Structure formats: structure tokens, C-alpha cells
Amino acid sequence: MKSDPESCPVRRLFSWLFSLEPMEKCESDPFKKLINSSRTTVRCRFNASTRLKRLSSYSFFTTTFLSLGLIFIPLVQNSDVQLHFMPKVLNMMQIFLAVAVIVYSVVNGTARYDIRSIQLNECGDKLKDLIRNLREEQKNNSSAIENLKEYHEKYNDILSESENHTRLDFLMTSLEMVDDYKITGLFKVLYHVKVFFWYAIPFILPSIMMFSEILFILDMLAITNVTPCYLGGDPNPKPNLVCTLCTQ
């Protein structure tokens, strides 16, 4: 009696590890196929909307943080606190922060994260209404096929009202919809790594800018001593009065 090749544990493990089975669930019924496609697009649109909303919030936070540093440096410079950078270096940093805030604000305003996020979210809501109508229409088998073309046109019209989602949004959706997309083993790990890095890329530059500002201010107050030797500061600064009191 021959054993089924699919029942072999080694074959199943090999198939799971390299995700050899079809990743997307096949559907022959045209109505169900349109419903599944709409469900996937809805999730992609919502993921894209959430991603842009987070970018908008982080951009606003970055601009606010850089602006606070631009205000804090001249205030401390005019106080009696001993600073460990020359006035020219402090003025240079203020000019850099001012230009950075202006450029960053213009770029974020041009990107229109808020408006794009709202449009994608509205597109997802309209697709959800279309899916409900499709499911109601599917119950009436006599007219379902006749109206399929009309629903395809409505589907395309809704998609044209907003920008398309990105590859990143689709990867996130395929990992979330486990009943529709079967991704296993090494491919699932690879997809998660791709999603993590692609999602993090837009946040790297603003994070570096904020970290650099914090480091500069800490070095300016002699709390740390990382950049003075590169920016003409005192390589061996004495702690400020505040730091001396804190260590006692």
C-alpha cells in the first residue's frame, strides 16, 4: 500500500519551511472572487491610512521638538549657565535648526499626510459598503451574474477616488489575513523583516535629527562630552553647578 506523498512529514516540513503551497487562496466563483479582492483592498487602504497618519503625527512631533531646541539654546546662552561651546558654534546650531524646521515643515506640508490618510480611509469605508451590497446581491442568485459587471465598475470608481496603496501595505495585509494568504516558514520571516524595515525608513531621519539635538544640548551643558572635540568645545569640561549639586 503506497503512502500519500503529502502525508510525508519531511515533505510537509519542507513545504512549510519554503512556503511551497499557493500563497493566495484560489476562488472560482466570480462574486466571491470580487468580494475577496475587495476585502484585501479594504485592509490595504486602512493600513495605508494608518501609516500616513502615524507619519503625520511623528512629523508634527519632530517639528515641535526641533523648534523647542531652537528656543532653548538662545535662552540658555543668555543666562549665567556656563556653556562649553563657542558662541559661533551655538549660532551655527541655531541657524541649522531654523533651516531644518522650515525645510521639514515645507516637505511635510507638500506630502499632505493628513489629507491622504483621510482619503484612503474614506476609500476603505466605501469599499466596505460595496462588500455588504455584494453579499446581499449574492443571495439573489438569479440576478447576481447580471449585475457583476456593474459592481466591477463601482469597484474601479471607488479605487480611482484615492491614491493606490504601496507594496508595504499589501505585505502587511497578507500577513494579517491568514485565512486568505498562506505564508509560512522562511518567507513569513522575510516578509516580517521587510515590513519592519520599510515601515521604519521614513522615521529614521527625523529620529536622527532629534537625537542629534539632544546630544548637542547635553554636550553644551557639559552633561555629556561627545561632540566638543569636533565642534571646538572644551574637551575636558567641568561640570555645571546643576550637575555638581545632583551628584552630591
Side-chain angles (χ1 to χ4, degrees):
M1 184 177 180
K2 295 182 179 180
S3 59
D4 186 2
E6 296 296 330
S7 63
C8 177
V10 176
R11 181 180 291 273
R12 291 202 308 268
L13 177 61
F14 191 82
S15 176
W16 177 88
L17 188 62
F18 294 99
S19 192
L20 298 180
E21 296 184 13
M23 291 188 180
E24 187 174 356
K25 183 174 66 175
C26 297
E27 186 61 61
S28 57
D29 183 83
F31 249 79
K32 290 183 178 179
K33 188 174 182 178
L34 180 58
I35 290 175
N36 291 342
S37 178
S38 300
R39 288 176 53 249
T40 302
T41 307
V42 167
R43 185 67 66 90
C44 289
R45 289 296 200 260
F46 284 151
N47 284 336
S49 176
T50 302
R51 176 175 54 82
L52 291 177
K53 188 175 181 180
R54 289 175 179 172
L55 271 175
S56 176
S57 300
Y58 200 76
S59 300
F60 177 76
F61 175 76
T62 303
T63 305
T64 304
F65 193 87
L66 295 177
S67 301
L68 291 176
L70 180 61
I71 297 172
F72 178 76
I73 292 175
L75 289 178
V76 177
Q77 192 175 4
N78 292 328
S79 65
D80 295 331
V81 178
Q82 181 183 359
L83 303 180
H84 298 276
F85 286 118
M86 294 183 298
K88 290 184 178 180
V89 176
L90 298 176
N91 294 335
M92 177 197 68
M93 189 62 179
Q94 294 175 47
I95 295 174
F96 171 77
L97 288 177
V99 174
V101 169
I102 294 174
V103 172
Y104 203 71
S105 299
V106 171
V107 170
N108 292 331
T110 306
R112 301 182 304 117
Y113 291 130
D114 288 333
I115 298 176
R116 292 162 60 193
S117 175
I118 293 173
Q119 291 176 344
L120 287 166
N121 192 74
E122 290 178 350
C123 179
D125 290 334
K126 291 180 181 179
L127 286 175
K128 287 176 65 177
D129 293 334
L130 178 65
I131 292 173
R132 283 192 289 266
N133 294 333
L134 280 169
R135 287 173 175 167
E136 289 294 329
E137 187 74 23
Q138 191 180 16
K139 296 178 182 179
N140 186 5
N141 295 326
S142 60
S143 61
I145 301 299
E146 298 175 3
N147 298 333
L148 182 60
K149 184 178 179 181
E150 178 183 351
Y151 281 110
H152 270 290
E153 293 177 354
K154 289 181 179 179
Y155 175 77
N156 293 328
D157 290 340
I158 293 174
L159 294 185
S160 63
E161 294 178 1
S162 68
E163 64 178 285
N164 197 12
H165 53 266
T166 64
R167 177 67 177 173
L168 168 62
D169 304 314
F170 177 75
L171 286 180
M172 294 174 61
T173 299
S174 61
L175 290 173
E176 293 169 353
M177 301 179 67
V178 293
D179 294 333
D180 298 277
Y181 295 91
K182 191 173 183 180
I183 306 172
T184 59
L186 297 177
F187 274 85
K188 189 170 186 178
V189 175
L190 178 62
Y191 278 24
H192 277 290
V193 172
K194 282 185 177 181
V195 167
F196 175 79
F197 280 102
W198 287 358
Y199 207 101
I201 285 176
F203 298 93
I204 293 177
L205 181 58
S207 300
I208 292 175
M209 294 176 66
M210 288 189 291
F211 176 78
S212 300
E213 180 183 336
I214 293 174
L215 184 61
F216 181 86
I217 292 176
L218 293 178
D219 285 344
M220 179 184 69
L221 299 174
I223 298 175
T224 58
N225 186 28
V226 179
T227 61
C229 57
Y230 302 104
L231 297 177
D234 186 1
N236 298 306
K238 296 179 180 179
N240 283 316
L241 178 60
V242 177
C243 300
T244 304
L245 293 176
C246 292
T247 57
Q248 290 179 356

